[in-house]
Amino acid sequence: MTTPVTPSAPSSNHRRLAVELFNHVWTFLNKPDRSSADDVAMIHTAHASRHHWGVAGEAKNWCIGEWQIARVYATLRRAEPAWFHAAEALRLAETHRLEPFLLATSHEALARAAMV
């Protein structure tokens, strides 16, 4: 039996889960015949990845996680949550003075949300 991952679990478990979940979201995003159940799973997977980055990551990871969540919602044509998470990605990029690429991807997320 595996030990459940909790906020008190070792950071390495959170980092591993964050990466695996982040990568799994792309499986959903790239799936041409995604079902409504897949859509719900994709949302939960993106949020779970961001949660684990919140425990084990740093501002760069948080920003990328928010960007991915915004991407998921924009893909699903859900403007309000796409905008919310894109704005959070931008806030993190600006507050933590992250590299220009992350600032640009945050603006890209805002543009996607606006297109919805």
Side-chain angles (χ1 to χ4, degrees):
M1 185 166 128
T2 61
T3 304
V5 176
T6 64
S8 62
S11 181
S12 62
N13 287 341
H14 288 285
R15 179 171 286 285
R16 178 184 52 77
L17 283 169
V19 169
E20 289 175 5
L21 291 163
F22 181 89
N23 291 335
H24 191 59
V25 169
W26 292 103
T27 303
F28 289 119
L29 283 169
N30 294 326
K31 189 175 180 182
D33 57 344
R34 205 174 47 244
S35 68
S36 58
D38 290 335
D39 291 346
V40 171
M42 179 171 59
I43 291 168
H44 289 310
T45 303
H47 280 281
S49 174
R50 173 59 182 87
H51 164 76
H52 289 291
W53 279 126
V55 175
E58 53 193 38
K60 173 183 171 179
N61 307 112
W62 309 334
C63 179
I64 294 167
E66 294 294 338
W67 167 82
Q68 187 183 56
I69 294 170
R71 175 72 178 261
V72 164
Y73 282 118
T75 299
L76 298 175
R77 315 247 348 120
R78 295 187 56 195
E80 192 279 329
W83 187 265
F84 176 87
H85 290 283
E88 180 62 7
L90 180 61
R91 185 192 69 77
L92 288 164
E94 291 177 339
T95 301
H96 296 280
R97 298 176 188 248
L98 299 177
E99 61 190 87
F101 176 77
L102 294 176
L103 186 62
T105 60
S106 299
H107 283 285
E108 178 263 347
L110 286 169
R112 283 182 187 272
M115 285 181 11
V116 173

